[in-house]
């Protein structure tokens, strides 16, 4: 890997709202404000982690970036080309370059297909002219590279452990030589004992194949291990953007500070674990102004009224917080 380079994926003012439940008796229709105006540039070669609590919109944003959801507003670009408004046919070349690894390897592999068919399907679709021998050689190469036995081909997904299945899912994504991989909580459904192993497989693939990752996780210890840059998300907005080392050394946004303090740490007095106060408000009923204000110890009247913009800071980070802008945090 030669380090972060130019923007590979551009996300500009992306909004994604869904029709919500509402109250049928009152004929009330409510919207889920899952993503609310996110702007990010994912640079080629980086492992960009999006972190936040469950329900913060990170998975919705990932699915929107890769084209599984159409954005309600805003644009997605790939190497400068707008892709969110393409027809399925025009999108096909980008679908090859952008692959996804899902959270649950038990649900994401078709139980009726053999491993060989699962792995061959994407390559036969995107490279129909390859010979049988070339496809077979590719399956072997990719299976070996993710630490799988290339002779598993005739077996079915249920015959494998969670870690093995997730390595098959990673192999399926790698079959078509992608440039950009979106991984949505790829290790959170796995046994803790094999999480590191799967993470290492993904890091090896990044280094060997010059991949760019958008890695979605709620787990900051995974970010510290895997990410080169981090976006912290809260209720559909990015509140802090920083290099991983800088974020862990000096978290600036009040939400990031509380998230980091909530990581269990072992010190002389045993495990320390600060709990984040309050519940995440629902994405159907967003708080006014700064969406974090009901849980923020520094909230003032301006915070309750005015949405803070994500602003570049002199140290290279970007933060959305009135308190930091006003110099009182
Ligand atoms: Fe807290 Fe206000 Fe900053 Fe939001 S804008 S994080 S409420 S200080």
């Amino acid at each position: 890997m030669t380090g972060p380079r130019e923007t590979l994926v551009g996300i500009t003012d992306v909004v994604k709202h869904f029709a919500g439940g509402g109250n049928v008796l009152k004929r009330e229709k409510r919207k889920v404000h899952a993503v609310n105006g996110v702007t990010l540039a994912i640079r080629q070669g980086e492992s960009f982690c999006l972190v936040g609590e469950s329900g913060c919109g990170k998975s919705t944003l990932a699915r929107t970036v890769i084209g599984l959801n159409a954005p309600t507003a805003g644009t997605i670009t790939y190497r400068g080309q707008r892709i969110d408004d393409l027809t399925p046919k025009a999108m096909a070349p980008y679908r090859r370059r952008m692959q996804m690894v899902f959270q649950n390897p038990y649900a994401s592999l078709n139980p009726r297909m053999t491993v060989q068919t699962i792995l061959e399907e994407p390559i036969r679709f995107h490279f129909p002219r390859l010979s049988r021998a070339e496809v077979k050689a590719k399956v072997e190469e990719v299976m070996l590279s993710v630490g799988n036995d290339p002779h598993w081909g005739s077996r079915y997904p249920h015959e494998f452990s969670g870690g093995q299945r997730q390595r098959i899912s990673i192999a399926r994504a790698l079959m078509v030589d992608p440039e950009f991989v979106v991984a949505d909580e790829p290790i959170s459904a796995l046994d803790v004992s094999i999480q590191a192993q799967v993470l290492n497989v993904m890091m090896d693939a990044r280094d060997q194949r010059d991949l760019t990752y958008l890695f979605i996780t709620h787990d900051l210890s995974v970010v510290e291990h895997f990410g080169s840059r981090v976006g912290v998300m809260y209720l559909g907005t990015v509140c802090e953007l920083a290099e991983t080392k800088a974020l862990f050394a000096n978290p600036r946004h009040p939400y990031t500070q509380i998230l980091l303090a909530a990581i269990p740490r072992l010190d002389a007095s045993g495990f320390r674990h600060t709990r984040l106060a309050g519940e995440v408000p629902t994405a159907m009923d967003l708080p006014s102004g700064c969406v974090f204000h009901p849980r923020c110890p520094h909230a003032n009247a301006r915070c309750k009224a005015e949405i803070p913009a994500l602003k570049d800071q002199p140290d290279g980070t970007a933060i959305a917080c009135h308190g930091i802008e006003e110099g009182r945090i």
Side-chain angles (χ1 to χ4, degrees):
M1 197 177 84
T2 53
R5 289 153 284 180
E6 73 272 16
T7 297
L8 184 68
V9 178
I11 303 166
T12 307
D13 296 328
V14 167
V15 172
K16 181 63 190 174
H17 294 166
F18 298 100
N23 186 326
V24 178
L25 294 177
K26 290 183 184 168
R27 298 193 176 192
E28 208 179 51
K29 281 190 186 157
R30 297 174 75 193
K31 274 189 192 146
V32 178
H33 300 84
V35 177
N36 303 302
V38 168
T39 297
L40 290 173
I42 299 172
R43 303 171 194 148
Q44 184 163 354
E46 73 175 346
S47 301
F48 187 93
C49 289
L50 258 186
V51 68
E53 292 165 282
S54 144
C56 71
K58 55 193 190 302
S59 292
T60 302
L61 180 62
R63 293 175 72 87
T64 307
V65 167
I66 210 159
L68 296 176
N69 292 330
T72 307
T75 59
I76 312 286
T77 59
Y78 192 88
R79 293 194 185 282
Q81 158 77 47
R82 186 169 174 187
I83 57 167
D84 59 274
D85 59 352
L86 295 181
T87 62
K89 193 175 169 204
M91 186 66 185
Y94 296 98
R95 292 214 181 281
R96 178 190 73 74
R97 294 192 222 171
M98 305 166 78
Q99 292 291 309
M100 187 147 185
V101 176
F102 295 90
Q103 177 177 8
N104 187 347
Y106 293 88
S108 62
L109 298 176
N110 188 330
R112 284 187 287 275
M113 285 185 181
T114 63
V115 170
Q116 187 75 20
T117 313
I118 288 169
L119 296 176
E120 285 187 5
E121 202 178 41
I123 199 168
R124 288 198 184 285
F125 178 80
H126 289 288
F127 300 98
R129 293 205 184 129
L130 284 186
S131 68
R132 284 185 70 170
E134 285 169 321
V135 171
K136 198 164 167 269
K138 184 72 183 172
V139 169
E140 278 194 28
E141 180 260 305
V142 172
M143 284 290 271
L144 279 171
S145 78
V146 299
N148 286 345
D149 184 336
H151 301 109
W152 284 353
S154 59
R155 295 166 65 185
Y156 288 85
H158 73 266
E159 297 177 53
F160 297 97
S161 68
Q164 289 168 333
R165 285 186 209 205
Q166 197 58 309
R167 294 207 310 264
I168 294 168
S169 301
I170 294 165
R172 179 179 56 183
L174 299 179
M175 282 300 294
V176 290
D177 294 332
E179 297 169 329
F180 178 57
V181 174
V182 175
D184 186 5
E185 301 266 14
I187 60 167
S188 63
L190 305 178
D191 220 69
V192 175
S193 60
I194 47 161
Q195 287 185 346
Q197 184 198 84
V198 172
L199 215 51
N200 286 338
V201 164
M202 297 186 74
M203 290 197 288
D204 287 347
R206 174 188 63 197
D207 298 341
Q208 288 160 8
R209 297 165 194 270
D210 199 16
L211 294 177
T212 302
Y213 278 113
L214 171 58
F215 194 100
I216 310 299
T217 182
H218 66 279
D219 187 342
L220 275 161
S221 52
V222 171
V223 174
E224 197 170 15
H225 195 59
F226 189 87
S228 47
R229 218 154 51 98
V230 195
V232 181
M233 263 190 99
Y234 186 80
L235 272 185
T237 58
V238 172
C239 57
E240 182 160 2
L241 200 56
E243 301 285 333
T244 305
K245 277 192 186 140
L247 187 102
F248 281 85
N250 183 23
R252 306 273 311 279
H253 192 280
Y255 177 59
T256 315
Q257 289 178 347
I258 294 170
L259 263 190
L260 258 69
I263 303 177
R265 299 264 183 211
L266 189 61
D267 62 16
S269 57
F271 265 112
R272 277 186 303 112
H273 183 198
T274 311
R275 279 203 170 277
L276 186 53
E279 294 293 318
V280 184
T282 150
M284 277 200 268
D285 238 337
L286 289 184
S288 61
C290 170
V291 284
F292 188 56
H293 87 251
R295 299 169 92 186
C296 181
H298 310 284
N300 65 10
R302 183 184 175 205
C303 299
K304 291 174 189 167
E306 195 184 313
I307 298 173
L310 190 66
K311 289 192 179 156
D312 290 337
Q313 306 294 310
D315 63 359
T317 62
I319 302 170
C321 176
H322 298 313
I324 289 173
E325 188 191 310
E326 292 160 6
R328 58 187 174 82
I329 295 178

